[in-house]
Amino acid sequence: MTNDAQYNFAYLDEQTKRMIRRAILKGVAIPGYQVPFASREMPMPYGWGTGGVQVSAAVLTPDDTFKVIDQGADDTTNAVSIRRFFQKTAGVAVTERTSEASVIQTRHRIPEEPLREDQILVYQVPIPEPLRFLEPRESETRKMHSLQEYGLMHVKLYEDITRHGQIATSYAYPVRVEGRYVMDPSPIPKFDNPKLEMDAIQLFGAGREQRIYAIPPHTSVASLDFDDHPFDPAKADHPCVLCGTEESYLDEVITDDEGGRMFVCSDTDFCRSRQSHSEARR
Amino acid sequence: MTPNTLGGGFADEARDAAFAFRACLDVMARPGRIGTLRGAVPPPPLSVAAGTLLLTLCDAQTPVWLGASIDNPMIRNWIAFHTGAPVTTSKSEAQFALGRWPDLHPIFDFSMGTPEYPDRSATLIVEQDNLAPEGTVLSGPGIREVTHLSLPETDAFQQNAALYPQGLDFYFTARDRIAALPRSTKVEAA
């Protein structure tokens, strides 16, 4: 479908895309640092991924194959509507297969299948500032980042240990990028944190909060921890009931009102390709 | 005004700029990699890559500083017509600077950002005769182990990296080839 007459390529006007592109490049040059940008209103509400959508719009070319996942799934409302948005406004090819995509926009997961260097992962970020719940003033958190004053974050994690015996933060687990900036990896489960060191370019967009940040390939990304409480990328201790893997991150699905439940892969493409593989082998 | 200052822009602005940006992103995310950047045909002595970079990233919001060996009325008219970017003579005001390496000295007069906002720094576009994956040793984010790039010198880039997270970011352009050196890259003499 072509909508050339109605929309500029990828919806945003060229000047907006240039502004976003300049912010992305500064973000790549300073891994983990939050670059302010003049976020635009998008035809979807804040909280639906307006930051990710603006980054995707600035990055997409007509040759791209685009994939969108929401908590690992390609077929939820958020994922479907963003995928259709760019199908309509940029005319790009779309896919549900991780390996076929060149740009993947994600809400709160990293695909199980390792990404290649010719792929770009775009994250939707609700609260980009990892220190925000510890210090509400932007002027102060800016200063804390500039002075690498991250003691407060360690105190917070330590309080978890004194209260629960372990670090209870299970998603949006703070990381330190290249030994410099403490960064919020967006609300991905901490299971995904080790995957943040990858071959693909990772871009983060927060629309309401007007921030863009990035992790280039081969960049060190360390989850914060303590010598006696090392980081543990925990997951539910079950195999997936559909594909049987014990390696992937699982969703718990309630099946009745008598406590029945099952665990299935959160990454629908990963699960589906494993199921079709094992069927083919039969 | 000569006729070719009106020509040489993107044929299809949105799509050409999208492809050009991806080349700029790819080389900035992988310092030392040499990519291809085409789309614009600027007047001499500007290279195709440098001209395309200006069209991709510059507009009325980004003051551009021009080095003596690049600065001529045709270039100024071409930049004004195609991007609307103001040409500035103040190094500290410039968001982009364009020139050959000797033109740009002293480079630390350009804005290096502030401790709170290190992104408010200039991007320098350095025109070269050639780009080759040899010479200076690069390591850091975006580089698997080490890589090599024919930089015009080593000292200035080491000083720049020592300012991290403040500092300048560089693009190197030769004909339709482009490479990048962000401030995060560690530089050592070969």
Side-chain angles (χ1 to χ4, degrees):
Chain A
M1 180 166 46
T2 159
N3 279 268
D4 284 354
Q6 291 98 324
Y7 296 106
N8 189 31
F9 172 73
Y11 186 77
L12 291 173
D13 61 280
E14 287 308 297
Q15 208 215 309
T16 298
K17 282 195 262 177
R18 276 192 297 270
M19 175 271 295
I20 295 172
R21 286 165 178 164
R22 291 194 294 262
I24 291 173
L25 292 174
K26 287 297 174 192
V28 168
I30 319 168
Y33 165 76
Q34 300 163 52
V35 185
F37 80 111
S39 178
R40 300 294 195 249
E41 290 214 19
M42 298 301 286
M44 62 187 72
Y46 289 130
W48 282 56
T50 54
V53 165
Q54 289 178 78
V55 170
S56 292
V59 161
L60 281 173
T61 72
D63 290 353
D64 276 314
T65 304
F66 191 54
K67 169 183 162 91
V68 187
I69 51 174
D70 173 4
Q71 301 275 14
D74 292 275
D75 50 5
T76 58
T77 311
N78 195 196
V80 171
S81 61
I82 292 173
R83 196 165 60 231
R84 285 201 186 141
F85 177 73
F86 282 114
Q87 224 174 346
K88 198 169 171 181
T89 60
V92 291
V94 296
T95 183
E96 296 193 0
R97 295 196 182 277
T98 302
S99 59
E100 286 170 9
S102 53
V103 176
I104 302 174
Q105 181 171 331
T106 176
R107 174 177 174 272
H108 310 354
R109 268 316 305 280
I110 297 175
E112 303 289 353
E113 192 178 326
L115 298 185
R116 300 181 310 264
E117 73 154 43
D118 59 341
Q119 295 178 305
I120 295 177
L121 187 58
V122 178
Y123 294 76
Q124 303 172 198
V125 183
I127 309 282
E129 178 51 74
L131 306 169
R132 182 59 69 235
F133 291 107
L134 306 170
E135 169 52 62
R137 287 167 298 180
E138 172 72 6
S139 54
E140 283 300 305
T141 53
R142 283 266 149 196
K143 214 170 283 171
M144 290 161 78
H145 282 294
S146 76
L147 298 171
Q148 305 189 57
E149 181 57 68
Y150 295 131
L152 210 53
M153 184 57 91
H154 279 102
V155 169
K156 187 214 168 237
L157 296 175
Y158 181 72
E159 280 177 351
D160 267 9
I161 295 172
T162 56
R163 214 170 286 163
H164 309 286
Q166 59 179 342
I167 296 174
T169 305
S170 58
Y171 64 93
Y173 191 103
V175 295
R176 190 134 192 207
V177 182
E178 204 59 25
R180 182 58 182 79
Y181 283 100
V182 165
M183 188 196 94
D184 182 341
S186 87
I188 57 172
K190 66 177 176 178
F191 173 81
D192 281 343
N193 273 23
K195 293 188 230 156
L196 289 163
E197 289 184 356
M198 64 164 74
D199 292 348
I201 299 172
Q202 299 173 81
L203 305 174
F204 299 76
R208 182 187 49 213
E209 304 290 323
Q210 316 199 323
R211 294 292 182 272
I212 284 172
Y213 50 105
I215 305 178
H218 317 300
T219 299
S220 102
V221 183
S223 302
L224 299 184
D225 61 1
F226 299 95
D227 290 346
D228 52 347
H229 285 272
F231 174 72
D232 171 28
K235 67 180 264 289
D237 190 17
H238 293 269
C240 168
V241 295
L242 298 179
C243 76
T245 182
E246 303 198 11
E247 264 95 69
S248 81
Y249 188 74
L250 302 171
D251 285 339
E252 182 179 358
V253 181
I254 307 295
T255 51
D256 54 39
D257 54 6
E258 286 158 7
R261 57 191 189 152
M262 63 181 207
F263 289 90
V264 295
C265 289
S266 121
D267 186 334
T268 50
D269 173 55
F270 178 79
C271 195
R272 196 180 307 131
S273 64
R274 275 184 53 89
Q275 289 175 58
S276 56
H277 262 267
S278 60
E279 260 163 44
R281 247 183 271 132
R282 253 176 238 158
Chain B
M1 187 187 281
T2 52
N4 69 349
T5 57
L6 300 182
F10 286 143
D12 179 348
E13 190 189 6
R15 287 163 188 81
D16 288 355
F19 284 118
F21 171 68
R22 281 291 278 279
C24 300
L25 174 63
D26 188 52
V27 295
M28 187 58 88
R30 296 177 178 88
R33 173 177 293 193
I34 299 171
T36 304
L37 186 61
R38 284 193 205 115
V41 186
L46 213 52
S47 68
V48 166
T52 308
L53 188 61
L54 290 178
L55 261 51
T56 307
L57 297 177
C58 296
D59 52 36
Q61 298 176 332
T62 58
V64 174
W65 184 96
L66 295 177
S69 69
I70 299 289
D71 195 357
N72 70 42
M74 247 169 37
I75 298 281
R76 283 180 179 242
N77 286 338
W78 190 79
I79 291 175
F81 181 75
H82 289 283
T83 73
V87 171
T88 179
T89 52
S90 153
K91 280 187 159 184
S92 59
E93 254 178 37
Q95 274 198 40
F96 289 87
L98 174 64
R100 299 187 69 85
W101 185 242
D103 295 342
L104 297 163
H105 279 290
I107 59 167
F108 295 110
D109 289 349
F110 291 106
S111 170
M112 289 172 291
T114 66
E116 273 95 11
Y117 293 93
D119 58 298
R120 295 178 184 172
S121 61
T123 301
L124 272 47
I125 305 164
V126 186
E127 286 269 57
Q128 301 200 159
D129 293 330
N130 268 306
L131 281 173
E134 60 190 29
T136 322
V137 184
L138 312 182
S139 62
I143 302 167
R144 195 184 287 276
E145 280 165 9
V146 293
T147 185
H148 300 266
L149 184 65
S150 51
L151 296 179
E153 67 164 275
T154 308
D155 280 0
F157 300 107
Q158 284 177 334
Q159 286 173 38
N160 184 55
L163 297 168
Y164 190 85
Q166 288 169 264
L168 306 165
D169 304 309
F170 300 88
Y171 277 111
F172 301 94
T173 50
R175 299 181 303 281
D176 63 351
R177 312 290 271 164
I178 183 164
L181 186 81
R183 64 195 80 179
S184 57
T185 303
K186 289 156 209 81
V187 181
E188 281 167 65

